[in-house]
Amino acid sequence: MWSSTADPAGPGRPRAVTAKTALPLADGTAALDDAAVILAGRRILDVGKRRLVLRGFTGPVDDLGEVVLVPGLVNAHSHLELAGRLGQCPPPAGFAAWAAWLAAGDRRVPPAALRDRAGAERAGSGTGAVIDVGGRAGPAVADALLRAGLAGLVCHEAFGWRRPAKALVPAALEAAVSHAPDGAVRAAASGHALYSTSPDTLRLAREACRLRQAPFCLHLAEHAEEAELLRSGTGALAALLAGSVLPRGYAPPGCSPVAEAARQGLLGPDVLAVHAVWLDAADRRLLAETGTHVCLCPRSNARIGVGTADAEALLAAGVPLCLGTDSLASNTDLDLWNEVRALLAACADLPARAVLAALTANPARLLGRPGELGLLAPGAVGGLAVLPDDLRPRLADGS
Ligand SMILES: [Zn+2]
């Protein structure tokens, strides 16, 4: 497979890639036939018709022939620190069973070689940026992303009902991203979920994100057990968490996860609600009215056995969609194109432009980097990807 990270001209030296078609996905830019892109590393220097862009260009030219170039993709949800659990996920039996399996396993940070492999896998599949969520491994994850040449955001996840004793973004993570050239990889706080992180901590984590102008990520409405716990305080998840994660005397709010997130002031255009499987029409309206972004993770949902998000209904309601692989504890790889295949298998009528926006413009805007990520335009830094042959009939016209 052609890799956008290969740098035949030498590090940082301009090279050109040509192809039959390019979808720049920049506002107002049509598909380009007979296209060329000049880039240095993952920074785009020029995009346009081959004969114009290559006039006077003396660097190496890589002609990819009958392919469609698109911007490097943004994986909007992953947990790289769980890469060591690849291939171990039990058969689908619902979230509580999966969470019990995850908690019982080895939680040590995986070896550096494994982190590097995951980073390389992302780069090889056309991913240019990642929103990663995790705990102690944050500095190592930031380092792995930087070494793989990826941009993105590393979120330190607040978990538990006790008031956090330490900074919501640890100093070690701050130090790790401080080496990132041009701020390519940044740090933020995040919350795990409404049932696992206290309202006070969620509020503080979101405030920390606001101050950094970073998105606030929260797992929301992922599974039926979450909906049941919030509505009535009962069910398999309540039984699993009682006496450990859930506080003594926990009083369920008696509403849906999305309604409770709204009540806690946790929705908005700067929020990424991850999963959003268990929603009704009122929930979708709330998400749309607040401008909340939703990250779909169809393969993880299927692997854990929590159901299928209704992407078409979310889109019809006006909710901006993103797409993520989730972790290797509930997925077989970190290839976003495989996520697209799963999404289209479940939601056959999704328009191409919505799928492409979920991979590029929507997460780029969420990250506050709409001119830098998710588009092929001079000044963008997310590299480029090649649309796989089997997805070309479905996505290549971009409409
Ligand atoms: Zn997650």
Side-chain angles (χ1 to χ4, degrees):
M1 176 191 275
W2 179 81
S3 168
S4 65
T5 54
D7 216 348
R13 300 272 304 280
R15 64 191 167 112
V17 176
T18 59
K20 181 168 186 290
T21 309
L23 296 179
L25 302 183
D27 274 348
T29 310
L32 281 168
D33 286 331
D34 202 17
V37 180
I38 298 179
L39 61 169
R42 299 175 83 80
R43 178 177 291 277
I44 310 293
L45 303 179
D46 202 2
V47 184
K49 289 277 190 190
R50 182 191 314 233
R51 64 186 164 75
L52 297 175
V53 168
L54 294 188
R55 189 182 293 160
F57 179 72
T58 56
V61 178
D62 192 2
D63 183 17
L64 302 185
E66 301 283 311
V67 305
V68 179
L69 301 178
V70 295
L73 314 180
V74 183
N75 185 349
H77 188 66
S78 75
H79 304 273
L80 194 46
E81 69 179 14
L82 297 177
R85 308 302 290 273
L86 175 62
Q88 301 170 19
C89 184
F95 186 81
W98 179 84
W101 162 77
L102 188 69
D106 187 350
R107 299 182 71 83
R108 285 174 303 178
V109 176
L114 202 50
R115 293 194 297 272
D116 289 348
R117 195 186 76 179
E121 190 173 6
R122 284 172 166 161
S125 59
T127 300
V130 178
I131 301 176
D132 195 272
V133 174
R136 278 174 295 180
V141 169
D143 184 54
L145 296 184
L146 284 168
R147 274 194 270 166
L150 296 174
L153 185 72
V154 179
C155 306
H156 183 78
E157 186 173 72
F159 188 93
W161 284 71
R162 290 206 189 101
R163 200 176 169 82
K166 296 181 181 161
L168 287 160
V169 181
L173 177 55
E174 302 274 27
V177 300
S178 70
H179 306 304
D182 301 326
V185 176
R186 300 170 189 176
S190 70
H192 179 258
L194 295 170
Y195 55 83
S196 54
T197 313
S198 73
D200 273 355
T201 303
L202 290 173
R203 183 176 46 75
L204 291 170
R206 187 178 181 200
E207 192 52 35
C209 290
R210 269 209 192 101
L211 291 171
R212 292 162 181 271
Q213 299 181 309
F216 171 71
C217 301
L218 180 72
H219 299 97
L220 190 67
E222 179 179 3
H223 37 86
E225 293 105 318
E226 174 186 359
E228 183 181 4
L229 193 160
L230 289 180
R231 196 167 291 284
S232 61
T234 59
L237 189 62
L240 177 72
L241 303 182
S244 55
V245 173
L246 276 181
R248 236 182 265 276
Y250 170 75
C255 61
S256 75
V258 169
E260 175 59 7
R263 197 190 64 78
Q264 292 189 28
L266 296 174
L267 300 182
D270 58 325
V271 173
L272 184 62
V274 180
H275 296 300
V277 176
W278 290 82
L279 309 176
D280 61 18
D283 293 328
R284 285 190 287 271
R285 255 196 319 276
L286 262 177
L287 292 169
E289 284 168 6
T290 53
T292 304
H293 289 69
V294 158
C295 180
L296 304 170
C297 302
R299 287 191 296 161
S300 173
N301 297 153
R303 192 70 186 83
I304 296 175
V306 298
T308 305
D310 191 339
E312 284 147 349
L314 282 161
L315 189 68
V319 177
L321 300 177
C322 303
L323 200 59
T325 58
D326 214 341
S327 82
L328 290 172
S330 58
N331 211 339
T332 49
D333 58 62
L334 301 170
D335 186 336
L336 270 178
W337 292 125
N338 283 335
E339 221 57 55
V340 171
R341 293 179 180 104
L343 179 67
L344 291 175
C347 305
D349 293 333
L350 274 184
R353 65 177 176 281
V355 176
L356 292 168
L359 294 165
T360 57
N362 290 349
R365 187 180 59 244
L366 179 73
L367 284 164
R369 305 176 70 176
E372 295 180 54
L373 299 174
L375 76 172
L376 295 178
V381 296
L384 51 79
V386 174
L387 189 62
D389 288 351
D390 64 306
L391 292 173
R392 247 196 271 173
R394 191 64 179 71
L395 301 179
D397 76 351
S399 62

